[in-house]
Amino acid sequence: MKLITNSTKRVSLAALLATLVVGMAISAQSQANERGLHSNVIEQQSIQLSQQIMQNEQQLELSSEQQLNQQIAKAEGQYVAQICQQYNLSYDNDTSTCLKQ
């Protein structure tokens, strides 16, 4: 049986080291790709959440505006009704106006 020479040992160790370096590079690339995928998923979720927030804000604004318009219309109707009452006129609920008798 032949003994392994020092140069053979060095070549074998160099090959082993090269294999290790290539393996580490592949592993690092794989981890980077995985982080990239997670980053993309998080970015998409952030975009969706931002869109939902904008939609919710628009719906809230529309709802608030409708409520305010209803309150204003009611207050105006009550004000006109008071004026009609002051002048002894009938009040029409449908048109929110005073009627001559």
Side-chain angles (χ1 to χ4, degrees):
M1 193 166 162
K2 271 185 158 180
L3 292 175
I4 299 176
T5 64
N6 282 339
S7 63
T8 305
K9 286 180 185 176
R10 279 188 233 133
V11 169
S12 295
L13 286 173
L16 186 60
L17 181 61
T19 304
L20 177 67
V21 169
V22 168
M24 289 175 64
I26 290 171
S27 174
Q29 182 64 38
S30 175
Q31 288 177 352
N33 288 343
E34 190 174 320
R35 282 190 211 111
L37 289 175
H38 288 305
S39 176
N40 288 342
V41 168
I42 290 172
E43 182 179 353
Q44 288 297 321
Q45 289 176 342
S46 294
I47 290 170
Q48 289 174 349
L49 287 174
S50 294
Q51 290 172 342
Q52 287 177 347
I53 288 171
M54 289 174 56
Q55 288 174 349
N56 289 344
E57 286 176 347
Q58 288 173 346
Q59 288 174 349
L60 178 62
E61 186 177 333
L62 180 62
S63 175
S64 296
E65 186 176 335
Q66 289 172 343
Q67 287 177 349
L68 183 61
N69 286 337
Q70 289 172 352
Q71 290 172 351
I72 290 171
K74 183 178 177 183
E76 286 175 345
Q78 290 173 346
Y79 181 70
V80 170
Q82 286 177 350
I83 293 173
C84 294
Q85 192 176 32
Q86 286 176 355
Y87 292 99
N88 294 325
L89 299 172
S90 298
Y91 176 71
D92 182 12
N93 283 327
D94 295 332
T95 61
S96 297
T97 57
C98 298
L99 301 174
K100 292 184 180 180
Q101 296 175 340

